[in-house]
Amino acid sequence: MAAAFGRRLRRGAASTAVAALALAALTASRAPSAAADAADAKPAAGPPPAGTPIDGGAGYYTDLPPLNRPVLHRSPHRPHGGSVATGPAEAGIPATVLAAYKKAAARLDADAPDCRLPWQLLAGIGKVESGQARGGAVDATGTTLAPILGPRLDGRGFARITDTDDGLLDGDRTLDRAVGPMQFIPSTWSHGGPRGTGWGADGNGDGRKDPGNVFDAALAAGRYLCASGRDLSVRGDLERAVLGYNDSAAYLRTVLSWYAFYGKGTHEVPDGKGVLPVRRGATGDGRTGGSAKARTAHPDATPRKPRKPARPGDRTGTPDGTNRPAPHPAPRPVPVPHRPADPAPLAALDRIGDRELTATAGAVFPVPPKVRAMDAAGKPVAGAAVRFTLTRAVGARFPGGATAVTVTTGKDGLATAPALRAGDRPGTFTVRAAAVGRTVPAVGFAATVRAEAAPKADRLARTPGKEATAVAGQAFADDAVEVRATYRGRAAAGVPVTATMVTDDPERPAENDKGPYFEDPEASQKASGPDKDRPMRTAVLTTDADGLLKLPKICTDAHTGTFLLRLTTADGASLTVELTVTAPEAP
């Protein structure tokens, strides 16, 4: 049953009046006769009606976990000192089903890291929905050995949904039925998800989306739980996600009880050996059940009738020979995950710092978005969850590639978003800060990404090396001239530098027409023209990541003497290097 948007009826917990109201709402006030006539007319498959539970409102298992928790201890008889689980059998989860839950959670951890989906939550829902796929009655690929079908959705105690898949998934060409370990109705699996594409997923990589496969169903359920930007580490988001399956406080308590139980420790059991629940919240054909003895095999077995509890005033024998009235049995506590104390009443979020944020493309915003949570008296509120969301962000992301993060306010009421990195393209977007689970106005920050600024250099300097000397007709050593560019004392990478062999005129130096020149790799490719044989004495170069400038090979002609190499940047940095050319030695 994944995402339910209507309230389901538990056995013995709904009156005839409530059932009538639920039926009226879910069947759009149609009379029974009209509804029966509509059963024979099969509409084309499409999205389910708005407000329809994903499993059509069928019942769920109401068994609660045992009070004693599983215990793990080290065993000297296991390789590498592995752990052995002891405790209640209900802590065992069939191997393939357990693998499906963990694989789905790992997939969501990569696809939606801000959701923080624990696999134990999927296990809690799977327990309530299908008893962990009928105790792990699945094959090696995770597909159930026999179909797990909910009751026919004929409107008697749950929604009325006429056939939407021509019986392809549920085998019923008249009415729909919930299908598989997580109990999706066909229309929701195929059409009722985001953008009308359905919640169906391929969790085992076989190219198919099968609601009867526990890997596919677990991934689909996980995606629903994480939808709408939920952060399941936040209590409010967690409860809303579970209530989306079934808008019932009793259902929420049951799922969270198993979630908490599995969170205290589980162990793997062979497929087909899982303990099945026996108490169901609604009747219906095809739902899984369990035997009275082991609760692991036959789906139609009837559980043992519980002994009649003693009524107040009944006499019962005691070890000391006295007869005392039997006390009322103590109510069974329902374990739930730890819930921190709610923060103080929150009245407003106040934006801290500038309303507008600015950064260069590819850089981190120097000032992160920050808000303060305050109560009605203007005092800071600690422990409030604030969610920062990027709206229409042009490549901007929080750490890990996230577009939304949740931060808890500190003692000063401040919530500061983590480092926000701009995208590679210029543009604008909005950072929205909203209180999670609180009805207070959200605040926004306008963010602007500017085009990447051109790299700068305010100084050019030679690095220590050899003298720049060569013999006429020969080339200078490759390391004769090494130059480093810096900007404000740091290496300046990617800076364009113009290198020119110039005359020694201090007033108006011009390109020299004699003496050293740069080797031109493209000289042989020049076809014709007045500059065909003219040596290249000007080159535009770029510094590397360390700010170093690699010059082309410097060659010489027959002229000797001292020549000048001038290097300049667009920001006004310059450097002049003397090149000495000597005559060849006499033979």
Side-chain angles (χ1 to χ4, degrees):
M1 160 181 81
F5 302 98
R7 183 177 301 275
R8 292 187 213 164
L9 306 180
R10 297 180 61 178
R11 184 179 59 185
S15 66
T16 304
V18 173
L21 288 174
L23 176 60
L26 293 170
T27 57
S29 301
R30 292 190 296 179
S33 59
D37 295 338
D40 297 328
K42 293 184 292 184
T52 302
I54 281 190
D55 77 336
Y60 57 89
Y61 289 107
T62 63
D63 295 53
L64 293 175
L67 297 181
N68 53 326
R69 69 179 65 182
V71 177
L72 297 179
H73 62 85
R74 309 291 288 182
S75 171
H77 304 293
R78 291 174 63 90
H80 311 295
S83 297
V84 177
T86 61
E90 288 85 348
I93 299 179
T96 301
V97 179
L98 179 61
Y101 295 148
K102 292 184 175 180
K103 183 175 182 179
R107 177 78 171 270
L108 267 299
D109 187 53
D111 295 348
D114 290 325
C115 175
R116 299 175 178 84
L117 170 68
W119 66 262
Q120 292 89 344
L121 181 60
L122 292 174
I125 294 173
K127 179 71 172 181
V128 171
E129 292 301 329
S130 66
Q132 310 299 21
R134 285 181 177 161
V138 297
D139 62 19
T141 67
T143 301
T144 57
L145 300 179
I148 300 178
L149 301 175
R152 303 182 78 220
L153 300 175
D154 57 5
R156 299 174 183 176
F158 25 75
R160 175 180 177 81
I161 303 178
T162 54
D163 177 55
T164 60
D165 67 331
D166 200 29
L168 180 64
L169 298 178
D170 58 6
D172 194 321
R173 302 180 66 179
T174 303
L175 297 167
D176 266 352
R177 303 169 68 151
V179 181
M182 304 304 273
Q183 290 289 277
F184 283 83
I185 54 174
S187 53
T188 300
W189 181 265
S190 302
H191 305 284
R195 298 179 298 278
T197 57
W199 289 107
D202 178 14
N204 60 356
D206 64 356
R208 299 176 61 241
K209 298 179 180 180
D210 180 7
N213 180 280
V214 68
F215 288 95
D216 295 357
L219 179 58
R223 286 178 173 171
Y224 169 74
L225 291 169
C226 290
S228 304
R230 296 188 185 105
D231 179 355
L232 299 181
S233 66
V234 177
R235 180 70 181 206
D237 281 6
L238 172 66
E239 292 181 350
R240 278 187 289 273
V242 176
L243 289 172
Y245 271 79
N246 185 340
D247 191 11
S248 161
Y251 179 86
L252 175 65
R253 287 194 301 271
T254 306
V255 169
L256 293 186
S257 295
W258 285 104
Y259 170 38
F261 178 73
Y262 290 137
K264 295 172 183 176
T266 61
H267 58 274
E268 181 182 295
V269 298
D271 290 343
K273 299 297 183 180
V275 176
L276 290 180
V278 294
R279 292 189 294 274
R280 290 178 288 183
T283 59
D285 57 338
R287 294 286 282 182
T288 60
S291 68
K293 182 178 180 180
R295 292 189 289 172
T296 58
H298 198 281
D300 298 321
T302 302
R304 289 179 298 177
K305 183 177 181 180
R307 289 180 299 176
K308 184 178 180 180
R311 293 175 298 179
D314 286 351
R315 300 285 178 174
T316 180
T318 57
D320 60 2
T322 62
N323 288 327
R324 300 188 181 93
H328 287 284
R332 186 179 187 181
V334 178
V336 296
H338 173 68
R339 179 176 183 175
D342 288 335
L346 181 62
L349 291 178
D350 187 23
R351 184 172 33 239
I352 302 299
D354 296 335
R355 180 187 298 266
E356 297 184 359
L357 310 174
T358 305
T360 303
V364 174
F365 280 82
V367 179
K370 182 187 297 185
V371 297
R372 188 190 303 276
M374 299 181 299
D375 60 17
K379 296 181 179 180
V381 176
V386 178
R387 192 165 183 80
F388 293 91
T389 305
L390 307 182
T391 304
R392 294 187 297 277
V394 283
R397 293 293 185 270
F398 290 116
T403 57
V405 293
T406 300
V407 179
T408 303
T409 58
K411 294 181 179 179
D412 54 2
L414 291 178
T416 303
L420 174 60
R421 181 174 294 277
D424 296 331
R425 295 183 292 111
T428 60
F429 62 96
T430 302
V431 182
R432 182 176 180 270
V436 178
R438 308 298 184 91
T439 56
V440 298
V443 297
F445 298 81
T448 301
V449 179
R450 300 191 305 261
E452 185 175 1
K456 298 180 179 181
D458 56 11
R459 185 172 183 267
L460 296 174
R462 284 190 68 182
T463 62
K466 299 179 180 179
E467 292 294 330
T469 303
V471 177
Q474 300 180 15
F476 285 83
D478 291 340
D479 58 352
V481 180
E482 290 186 344
V483 177
R484 183 182 180 87
T486 57
Y487 181 70
R488 297 181 179 177
R490 296 185 178 182
V495 177
V497 179
T498 302
T500 306
M501 303 294 179
V502 297
T503 63
D504 58 359
D505 184 348
E507 298 294 332
R508 300 181 63 183
E511 183 179 283
N512 208 336
D513 60 355
K514 60 179 65 72
Y517 60 91
F518 297 114
E519 183 181 60
D520 186 1
E522 299 179 0
S524 61
Q525 301 177 11
K526 295 180 179 178
S528 60
D531 296 330
K532 175 182 178 182
D533 300 320
R534 181 179 179 181
M536 182 177 71
R537 290 189 167 91
T538 298
V540 179
L541 313 168
T542 304
T543 59
D544 64 13
D546 297 320
L548 294 176
L549 187 69
K550 183 175 178 59
L551 294 169
K553 182 182 287 295
I554 301 176
C555 304
T556 64
D557 55 15
H559 296 85
T560 60
T562 300
F563 299 88
L564 302 179
L565 169 61
R566 185 177 179 83
L567 302 105
T568 59
T569 70
D571 303 302
S574 65
L575 173 68
T576 301
V577 180
E578 292 185 351
L579 304 176
T580 302
V581 181
T582 62
E585 294 183 4

